[in-house]
Amino acid sequence: QLEALAEGEDLSTLMRLAHSLKGSAMNMGAADLSEAARALEFAVKEKRQADFVVLLERVRVEFERTRVVLERM
């Protein structure tokens, strides 16, 4: 969903979702995912669209890592 928002230039929703993910990840103790979401949120706030692809990939990778860890619990 984040990628679709970035491509569609719905930056307001993208920033809100990145912010929510940042907080949720931190509450779960997923610091790397939280940091990736924070970086994306900041890039969106600063309208640094050139960074979106890399940061979205970082969020995706950290989300997947977190999912795998949680499934093993």
Side-chain angles (χ1 to χ4, degrees), residues 6-44:
E7 289 173 7
E9 298 186 14
D10 186 352
L11 301 185
S12 175
T13 302
L14 179 59
M15 188 163 64
R16 181 177 50 78
L17 289 176
H19 179 80
S20 294
L21 180 59
K22 175 185 73 173
S24 296
M26 189 53 74
N27 286 336
M28 294 186 321
D32 291 340
L33 177 55
S34 181
E35 173 55 28
R38 185 207 61 78
L40 176 59
E41 178 187 18
F42 186 74
V44 173

Side-chain angles (χ1 to χ4, degrees), residues 1-69:
Q1 184 179 15
L2 295 175
E3 292 169 349
L5 292 170
E7 289 173 7
E9 298 186 14
D10 186 352
L11 301 185
S12 175
T13 302
L14 179 59
M15 188 163 64
R16 181 177 50 78
L17 289 176
H19 179 80
S20 294
L21 180 59
K22 175 185 73 173
S24 296
M26 189 53 74
N27 286 336
M28 294 186 321
D32 291 340
L33 177 55
S34 181
E35 173 55 28
R38 185 207 61 78
L40 176 59
E41 178 187 18
F42 186 74
V44 173
K45 184 177 183 178
E46 297 291 314
K47 295 183 173 76
R48 293 189 340 251
Q49 290 181 299
D51 296 339
F52 289 1
V53 172
V54 170
L55 293 171
L56 285 165
E57 178 62 13
R58 183 174 164 205
V59 167
R60 190 193 65 72
V61 167
E62 293 303 333
F63 182 87
E64 184 61 23
R65 285 182 57 226
T66 301
R67 185 188 64 74
V68 168
V69 168

